[in-house]
Amino acid sequence: MTGVWSQLRSAALIGSARAQLPMIDVDGATCALITRVDATETSALLAAGALALARRSGVAPIPDGELPAPAPAADLPVPPEPARQRLRVLLDGVADVEHLTLWLELAADRGLRAPARELPALFQLARVQHALRPLTVAVAGERGRWLASQRPEWHWVANIAIEVDAADDRMWQEGSLAERTAYLTAVRARDAAAGRARLEDVWPTEPPAERAAFLPVLANGLSRDDEAFCEAALDDRRKEVRAVAAGLLAEMDGSAYQRRMVGRARSYVIAGRKITVRPPAECDLSMRRDGVEAKPPVGAGERAWWLEQVVAATPLAAWSEFGKSPAHILDMRTEPGWQLTLHRAWARAAVRTRDADWAEALIDSGFGVGKGAEMHDVVLAASLYDVLPPAVLVDRTMRLLSATEPPDLGALGTVLDACPRPWPSQLAEALLRFLYQQVRQVDQSYVSPRFQTLATTIVNGLAVDAIDSFRALTEHVRVESKPGPAGDSQAVRLMDSLLINLSVRHTMFQEFA
Amino acid sequence: MRERWSVDQVTAIAPDPSSLSAGRGLAHAAKWLDRGVASGPPDTIWGLCRGSGSKPYQICVDVVAPAFKCSCPSRKIPCKHALGLLFMWAAGDVAEPEPPAWVVEWIAGRAQRAAKAQARKAEPAESTEAQRKAAARRAAQRGDRVAAGVVELGQWLDDQVRQGLAGLDRAGYQHWDGLAARLVDAQAPGLARSVRALAGVASSGEGWDERLLAEFGLLRLLTRAYERIDALPPPLADSVRSHVGFTVPSEQVLAGPPVRDVWHVLGSRDEMDERMTTRRVWLRGRDTGRPALVLSFAMAGAPLARDLAPGVEIEADLCFYPGASPLRALVGIRHEPPRRLTSGWHATTWRDGFDAYARALASDPWIGLWPMTVRGVIVPGDPWRLIDVGGDSVRLVRGVEEPWTLCAAAGGRPAPISGEWSPSGFRPLAVRVEDEVCVA
């Protein structure tokens, strides 16, 4: 039968205009459907149809035998039905990341996992939204790790949970990059010198991607003992490796690298009655070796760019003799045209070293605020807040709220973004009072998107048990406000939408009960 | 009152993602002045939604048909207000207060229209001598046209073999569409569909010529069968007519012998073109073991009835379209509303499934898709496979979304997996794990 079929197939492919169609006498035992194919197109097609039917009817599976290992039977429990339904909705269509994050937190806090059927959609989302990954990993469960191991795009789910036996170095010898990194991290955590020794052993023969992945592991337990190794890495062929090495050396107190940077910075920035600036004339080889980039970003001057990088990599302690506090130093008269560059560099240093005193002084100096501020300075200023301790942040917010003049909405939003959530009760009360005052002024007029964003931030940080008092506040606004020609006033509509936001979060909590 | 819809069911009828998320945003008590469930027929959910205007919107949803009415200006069906209302209902957040007058009116209007339609159906079509003659003339005319179309298709197929199949994989759609259009004019829509489908076969990659030859051969057999239709046994003649494109009126199908059973819904799949959505719902009789296919159609963008979703069962009469291997059916009398499955799916091995398929092909060689439920494990890879409990393996259809959801739900343990078999492979639709059905 196969013979007849392949004869028909090749004849049909060439065409009877060019090749003779086969005359086939079919053995009855071979095929009961056709007995003879004469050399016409119709006959060939009818035979092909009959054979196709026979082939379709005779379709059979391939004995394959091997079933891959199933997912482990034991796993974390799943949340109650309403919470599972909620996740379905959250993952369907346009994902609401704020609420999805809350769902994942609620599940992770309770030691629950996402239902198996939702895992693919969740993994696909977290594949692009990296911020969701740690929580996704937390709720993946055994089923999730089993599933992720079968699809390379999801390997990050399984990798984070690598269990390392530091005594058994087969993982270091034979494992994947992620497994080897995990192994190195574990060894370094137990014994910093042993970790570095492991790295030194293999360093000359590792490919660049491996070197770039392994070197950051040294940040944990970093000391002067690592200095020689890191100095050597400044001469690495791979740029990423050199950058990591420079970062490590900048953090290492007393390192030669720090001394080089201090020397450069102090020669460019000179103290006196005012701060004099003598920016570098060139970006020489030794500067480039220490990670200073020669080419400035678009719009920046070369010399200012070199100066900024050097000062940003210099320990802030180098400036202590300029004045008695960061605030004093920032307040000093500075060579015209150089203040912004200098403050930006100090801000970068404050963020890098998490120096709260400098950060607060920079915020108070007004760095990165105002109409003319460039976007990257605004972003840098926001990250200064992340350096401040929670109590300081709450305190600053309270001061902004109780000031006689109304606070700048942007500044309030920036500090709130860094404040601990849910808001401590005192802060929550002050924020709701502020919200109420602002909303009363809105009434019929236009609600600015800026205020809307701030209001949403305020509500998103409220503890969910604030729902009753918030509902009462909404009703209060409703009673006070006069409906306009187009139905509810702007104020009431804003409060309604905020209430809905809060009640969704409240409901989500209850769904996990 | 009928069973509440699930969130999935509400999600499924949303016309687009933006309506869906807007609808979710409206699913909060603060947005609604009033809302309720009113027992019909038809059973109706209604609500008064605060809008941007001074007058709230009035929304009514007939959850049986389903049908939607909203006083908002949106042209989407259903609009975000109806979706919001349904989400609240799905969440159990709609009570049963006395419905206001406008709701009662709407329900009464719909009930009246339904009764009229019923009455029209029940009345025997009046037919005068002249009408009967005209009908006979039309039928004869169509018969002539179809016959001519069948002859043209036969000659066209022979021509393809004369010129050779080589190069048809790059022929482009116009090669097939001209003939398909002529077959539509010849009132043979079934043949036109088959010819359009050939374009996909020709461009299906490695081995296309073999698959195309098979389709050509089967189509040539169909033209030959139609030419000799009077000599065929009546059930096979019915099958041939339906493949050519003659349809049997639904009244006639529903007048046929009913098959009463508890029908398990095994899977459902929508196919869309620019004008129409066609939904295939695969059923299997719990006691009779019969497979059935229920088709429903809607204009593009309009919702389809969602009550026959995988994971439910319905006790009903099914009436099958005539044919040698009847598969397509209409749902006649519903003895019970659809409910969650009360017993497990019947699942087989690949070999038993293929035996049943071969028997069906022996009666009707032109069957395209065939439902199968196999107990096994879906294994990702290239190609994806479904390995049954006996260790036999079949590859899944290529070029469709990879069924990771089914894989995740089953966790690598054997479970009943429903799907569609076609000569290009198996397409899984749903899996049943621990009393839950999960769809691909």
Side-chain angles (χ1 to χ4, degrees):
Chain A
M1 188 169 120
T2 331
V4 183
W5 177 256
S6 52
Q7 287 181 57
L8 283 170
R9 181 185 177 185
S10 46
L13 197 60
I14 300 163
S16 55
R18 256 153 289 177
Q20 186 67 41
L21 282 173
M23 291 271 284
I24 308 168
D25 277 304
V26 182
D27 174 1
T30 313
C31 183
L33 284 167
I34 33 174
T35 50
R36 195 177 138 76
V37 181
D38 59 32
T40 68
E41 289 81 16
T42 308
S43 157
L45 275 174
L46 292 176
L51 286 173
L53 182 61
R55 288 154 67 94
R56 281 183 189 181
S57 306
V59 64
I62 305 157
D64 203 313
E66 275 302 290
L67 275 179
D75 209 337
L76 303 173
V78 289
E81 172 67 21
R84 299 207 298 265
Q85 285 265 0
R86 171 73 61 180
L87 184 62
R88 291 234 81 180
V89 174
L90 288 172
L91 287 172
D92 194 90
V94 193
D96 175 347
V97 175
E98 180 96 25
H99 286 148
L100 181 60
T101 307
L102 175 63
W103 194 98
L104 296 173
E105 280 168 2
L106 288 168
D109 286 350
R110 289 160 179 73
L112 304 173
R113 69 181 163 99
R117 60 196 286 186
E118 316 300 350
L119 291 171
L122 181 59
F123 290 171
Q124 283 302 75
L125 194 62
R127 193 160 80 88
V128 276
Q129 305 226 12
H130 284 238
L132 291 172
R133 285 191 179 188
L135 283 168
T136 299
V137 169
V139 302
E142 292 294 340
R143 177 70 58 95
R145 282 188 282 282
W146 170 84
L147 187 69
S149 69
Q150 301 179 62
R151 189 173 190 184
E153 292 101 309
W154 296 342
H155 276 178
W156 50 270
V157 177
N159 284 347
I160 294 183
I162 296 171
E163 281 178 29
V164 178
D165 176 4
D168 176 2
D169 77 349
R170 260 178 312 179
M171 189 181 272
W172 178 240
Q173 303 297 346
E174 300 155 17
S176 66
L177 177 57
E179 285 173 333
R180 298 183 64 201
T181 311
Y183 179 86
L184 185 64
T185 308
V187 174
R188 172 83 174 172
R190 244 181 22 170
D191 178 349
R196 189 184 59 251
R198 286 284 166 150
L199 197 50
E200 277 169 332
D201 284 347
V202 298
W203 192 253
T205 54
E206 292 293 335
E210 267 74 1
R211 296 200 303 275
F214 293 154
L215 193 57
V217 171
L218 295 190
N220 186 12
L222 189 71
S223 74
R224 288 291 297 281
D225 298 340
D226 302 314
E227 186 174 3
F229 184 69
C230 291
E231 270 291 336
L234 283 176
D235 299 315
D236 199 274
R237 281 193 308 277
R238 181 77 154 221
K239 189 179 170 194
E240 282 161 271
V241 176
R242 295 198 300 271
V244 172
L248 291 171
L249 288 165
E251 269 183 60
M252 197 181 291
D253 283 334
S255 68
Y257 176 97
Q258 279 194 352
R259 286 197 300 277
R260 295 197 294 272
M261 281 298 177
V262 170
R264 288 180 188 118
R266 293 295 299 272
S267 72
Y268 310 153
V269 182
I270 301 136
R273 282 231 309 280
K274 64 165 194 168
I275 296 176
T276 313
V277 176
R278 297 278 170 269
E282 58 163 344
C283 185
D284 62 29
L285 268 178
S286 89
M287 284 163 78
R288 268 183 259 170
R289 178 174 183 270
D290 282 347
V292 178
E293 285 181 40
K295 196 173 156 20
V298 181
E302 279 187 332
R303 301 178 71 189
W305 171 238
W306 299 331
L307 172 84
E308 178 186 327
Q309 293 178 83
V310 168
V311 174
T314 303
L316 285 162
W319 313 103
S320 55
E321 60 199 61
F322 275 46
K324 58 178 190 287
S325 72
H328 270 97
I329 300 170
L330 290 169
D331 211 24
M332 280 171 78
R333 210 147 52 80
T334 306
E335 178 115 18
W338 286 99
Q339 190 181 41
L340 182 59
T341 304
L342 207 46
H343 285 201
R344 183 184 293 148
W346 280 330
R348 284 175 58 178
V351 170
R352 177 176 63 81
T353 58
R354 301 195 62 78
D355 188 314
D357 291 341
W358 272 91
E360 195 166 19
L362 279 157
I363 291 168
D364 288 337
S365 79
F367 173 73
V369 283
K371 280 224 168 66
E374 287 181 45
M375 199 52 217
H376 61 263
D377 287 334
V378 174
V379 175
L380 184 56
S383 43
L384 288 171
Y385 284 96
D386 293 332
V387 175
L388 303 189
V392 174
L393 287 163
V394 172
D395 193 49
R396 291 185 70 92
T397 316
M398 294 294 284
R399 270 190 282 140
L400 272 177
L401 290 170
S402 58
T404 41
E405 62 207 78
D408 174 72
L409 298 185
L412 185 56
T414 310
V415 61
L416 268 184
D417 277 338
C419 273
R421 293 188 187 194
W423 317 131
S425 58
Q426 206 191 353
L427 178 61
E429 278 166 33
L431 284 169
L432 284 180
R433 261 198 312 279
F434 165 76
L435 186 67
Y436 174 62
Q437 283 158 6
Q438 295 286 315
V439 160
R440 276 177 69 180
Q441 288 167 20
V442 168
D443 209 29
Q444 282 307 327
S445 62
Y446 162 80
V447 180
S448 73
R450 222 165 171 204
F451 178 60
Q452 192 127 24
T453 310
L454 179 67
T456 309
T457 306
I458 290 176
V459 171
N460 278 340
L462 289 175
V464 285
D465 51 18
I467 180 108
D468 291 330
S469 54
F470 197 85
R471 190 173 283 126
L473 188 62
T474 306
E475 280 316 305
H476 191 69
V477 171
R478 198 190 302 285
V479 170
E480 275 189 344
S481 103
K482 295 175 280 297
D488 285 335
S489 70
Q490 294 287 342
V492 171
R493 270 195 237 161
L494 175 64
M495 289 301 287
D496 272 342
S497 73
L498 294 173
L499 177 61
I500 284 169
N501 207 332
L502 186 56
S503 72
V504 170
R505 290 172 49 225
H506 183 248
T507 314
M508 285 175 67
F509 264 83
Q510 288 176 327
E511 285 166 349
F512 273 89
Chain B
M1 187 63 206
R2 62 194 282 110
E3 207 177 314
R4 282 207 324 255
W5 288 9
S6 68
V7 171
D8 286 354
Q9 278 171 292
V10 182
T11 306
I13 59 161
D16 52 49
S18 72
S19 302
L20 184 61
S21 67
R24 286 210 196 101
L26 287 169
H28 296 286
K31 290 282 179 195
W32 297 83
L33 295 168
D34 203 359
R35 60 191 189 278
V37 178
S39 293
D43 292 336
T44 299
I45 317 295
W46 57 272
L48 271 180
C49 182
R50 291 183 213 272
S52 48
S54 55
K55 236 180 122 189
Y57 295 128
Q58 301 178 335
I59 299 108
C60 279
V61 180
D62 164 356
V63 291
V64 184
F68 309 89
K69 167 88 181 88
C70 180
S71 60
C72 79
S74 164
R75 258 184 279 180
K76 291 184 178 161
I77 304 172
C79 66
K80 60 183 178 179
H81 305 104
L83 288 171
L85 186 60
L86 286 171
F87 273 123
M88 295 185 71
W89 179 50
D93 201 4
V94 181
E96 297 193 34
E98 197 61 33
W102 58 273
V103 177
V104 175
E105 222 168 83
W106 190 76
I107 295 178
R110 277 194 68 78
Q112 215 173 13
R113 274 198 297 281
K116 261 193 204 154
Q118 195 66 42
R120 255 201 315 279
K121 242 191 239 171
E123 275 170 30
E126 285 178 52
S127 54
T128 63
E129 184 65 16
Q131 278 171 331
R132 265 201 304 281
K133 270 190 182 157
R137 202 169 51 241
R138 278 197 305 276
Q141 243 170 25
R142 180 173 186 192
D144 291 346
R145 284 196 192 132
V146 172
V150 166
V151 170
E152 185 184 355
L153 174 59
Q155 287 168 349
W156 183 89
L157 288 166
D158 289 351
D159 269 352
Q160 305 300 305
V161 173
R162 197 164 302 122
Q163 285 151 19
L165 270 53
L168 284 181
D169 53 334
R170 295 181 304 271
Y173 277 81
Q174 65 281 7
H175 181 79
W176 320 92
D177 279 358
L179 176 64
R182 289 199 296 283
L183 288 169
V184 169
D185 292 342
Q187 293 183 296
L191 297 180
R193 251 196 315 278
S194 305
V195 169
R196 273 202 201 95
L198 293 175
V201 179
S203 58
S204 62
E206 185 64 35
W208 64 272
D209 66 303
E210 197 170 14
R211 288 189 290 277
L212 192 61
L213 179 60
E215 294 298 338
F216 278 0
L218 281 159
L219 260 182
R220 196 68 180 91
L221 279 179
L222 183 59
T223 61
R224 176 56 58 90
Y226 187 74
E227 284 159 9
R228 295 180 185 170
I229 194 151
D230 294 333
L232 299 179
L236 184 59
D238 285 331
S239 291
V240 168
R241 258 186 228 104
S242 92
H243 291 302
V244 167
F246 289 92
T247 47
V248 183
S250 51
E251 308 88 77
Q252 200 176 319
V253 176
L254 288 169
V259 181
R260 180 171 177 163
D261 205 336
V262 173
W263 298 92
H264 289 178
V265 182
L266 297 174
S268 148
R269 198 150 84 75
D270 291 354
E271 233 156 60
M272 271 162 271
D273 62 26
E274 59 277 12
R275 286 170 302 136
M276 287 265 277
T277 308
T278 307
R279 173 164 295 160
R280 288 199 288 276
V281 175
W282 296 104
L283 305 171
R284 183 179 191 279
R286 184 190 65 191
D287 304 327
T288 58
R290 280 187 75 155
L293 169 63
V294 174
L295 295 179
S296 46
F297 307 92
M299 298 303 288
L304 281 157
R306 192 65 216 183
D307 51 354
L308 295 185
V312 308
E313 61 181 28
I314 178 170
E315 181 158 9
D317 288 347
L318 246 56
C319 299
F320 285 83
Y321 281 77
S325 178
L327 187 60
R328 187 174 166 201
L330 292 174
V331 181
I333 299 163
R334 295 176 171 216
H335 300 288
E336 297 280 344
R339 57 177 183 240
R340 250 177 91 100
L341 275 176
T342 56
S343 61
W345 280 354
H346 174 83
T348 66
T349 60
W350 278 124
R351 285 181 192 282
D352 290 346
F354 284 139
D355 279 351
Y357 174 60
R359 279 196 298 279
L361 277 183
S363 316
D364 177 353
W366 299 283
I367 287 174
L369 296 169
W370 182 254
M372 277 196 212
T373 304
V374 172
R375 181 180 300 281
V377 177
I378 290 184
V379 183
D382 187 21
W384 281 60
R385 294 162 301 154
L386 197 171
I387 306 181
D388 74 11
V389 284
D392 281 332
S393 158
V394 164
R395 52 170 268 199
L396 305 188
V397 185
R398 273 175 210 275
V400 301
E401 206 176 320
E402 296 177 339
W404 283 105
T405 308
L406 302 186
C407 199
R413 280 184 188 68
I417 296 161
S418 68
E420 293 171 340
W421 170 259
S422 72
S424 51
F426 185 71
R427 177 173 185 140
L429 295 176
V431 62
R432 188 163 186 277
V433 189
E434 292 159 9
D435 293 350
E436 291 252 3
V437 168
C438 174
V439 298

